[in-house]
Amino acid sequence: MDVNGQISSLLSSMSPITLEEMTGIKLMNRLDTKYVASKNQLVQLLNLVQDKYYVQETLGKRIIPYCTTYYDTADHVMYMMHHNKHASRKKVRVRTYVASNLTFLEVKNKNNHGRTKKKRIEVPSQDDFRNTEGAHELVQRKAGLNLDKLNAVVQNQFNRVTLVNKDKTERLTIDFNIEFHNYETSKDHGTDQLVIIELKRDGNVYSPVVNILHDIHIHPTGFSKCCIGMALTDPSLKQNNFKPKLINLQKINGKTFIDHEL
């Protein structure tokens, strides 16, 4: 069985949890910790958390497709805030939860204490959201930006698995099969064996997975799918501070992975 089959098999043996059963753990104001791993490490992780976590099931599916388009100014102000290591930064995106056919305009703010706040409103679709009531007000109020001045820069499509600990105090999202499309360069780029794991909890409450991740050599690290997707598909962007992450991607995939010089 290949690694994708192993992932699917392990998920199918876990106890399910529905969206309705997860209503108490939305964590819209939360502390996020990201981890970068490979698919082989994900297999190790799923073996070790079988009896400690539920897996979210939506319409009978445990691997859920997502589609997200990120918006930025013409001079890429939000990308540069992240690249230049500003502690406080923001993102404006339109995300579609493909399985449930729901789309939201979202503004994410991360403060200098590492806490993330997200506000969103439901919109009709990826293409039809600017005229939604409250859309302009949301972006202006939460990002300090004019929605009319923002353009689509990069889109990602990926598969997500969501795990919930048995005490229902945290969520662990696991993203893989991430594919990028850059609207400005028309370039596409995949990520092959890359897995992005994100622990989402309300403060530093005990998490059963932290020690497990450490034991299988998966360590906390910052990673922005938006920024890395832009760096992979647009070599003209400043990306010095992202080079360690791009080089790590090459190591995870065990081959020359990036088609421009780092």
Side-chain angles (χ1 to χ4, degrees), residues 205-252:
V205 296
Y206 169 74
S207 168
V209 83
V210 170
N211 289 336
I212 294 172
L213 289 166
H214 181 270
D215 290 343
I216 58 175
H217 308 292
I218 300 175
H219 304 292
T221 182
F223 193 100
S224 164
K225 289 194 290 294
C226 171
C227 293
I228 296 302
M230 290 175 71
L232 284 170
T233 54
D234 188 351
S236 71
L237 289 172
K238 186 177 180 182
Q239 47 192 266
N240 296 25
N241 289 334
F242 293 141
K243 282 184 179 180
K245 300 185 190 308
L246 296 171
I247 290 169
N248 190 42
L249 275 178
Q250 293 189 157
K251 291 179 180 177
I252 286 172

Side-chain angles (χ1 to χ4, degrees), residues 84-227:
N84 294 338
K85 299 184 179 180
H86 289 203
S88 298
R89 50 187 184 258
K90 54 203 171 189
K91 288 190 177 76
V92 177
R93 69 190 189 189
V94 178
R95 168 164 286 180
T96 298
Y97 299 79
V98 178
S100 51
N101 197 31
L102 291 172
T103 299
F104 295 89
L105 169 65
E106 302 180 343
V107 178
K108 285 182 67 177
N109 285 279
K110 188 170 186 177
N111 66 24
N112 56 7
H113 300 292
R115 186 167 286 273
T116 300
K117 293 184 179 182
K118 182 172 73 173
K119 295 293 184 181
R120 68 184 189 180
I121 58 171
E122 188 174 350
V123 296
S125 69
Q126 286 275 338
D127 298 319
D128 181 18
F129 67 92
R130 293 182 189 268
N131 294 324
T132 301
E133 182 179 356
H136 288 259
E137 291 81 359
L138 174 67
V139 173
Q140 182 64 53
R141 182 165 46 91
K142 293 300 180 181
L145 295 167
N146 182 343
L147 183 56
D148 288 333
K149 301 292 185 181
L150 301 183
N151 305 307
V153 286
V154 70
Q155 183 180 87
N156 61 44
Q157 298 188 55
F158 58 92
N159 291 331
R160 170 167 287 184
V161 170
T162 300
L163 305 184
V164 177
N165 66 328
K166 291 296 177 77
D167 290 334
K168 299 182 182 178
T169 58
E170 69 181 35
R171 285 188 284 121
L172 195 71
T173 60
I174 302 168
D175 298 343
F176 54 98
N177 296 336
I178 308 164
E179 304 280 341
F180 297 109
H181 172 73
N182 191 303
Y183 287 96
E184 297 177 315
T185 66
S186 298
K187 287 189 176 183
D188 299 312
H189 209 297
T191 56
D192 200 5
Q193 298 300 306
L194 173 69
V195 176
I196 305 298
I197 300 167
E198 189 165 8
L199 173 60
K200 304 174 181 183
R201 49 185 169 158
D202 190 7
N204 284 311
V205 296
Y206 169 74
S207 168
V209 83
V210 170
N211 289 336
I212 294 172
L213 289 166
H214 181 270
D215 290 343
I216 58 175
H217 308 292
I218 300 175
H219 304 292
T221 182
F223 193 100
S224 164
K225 289 194 290 294
C226 171
C227 293

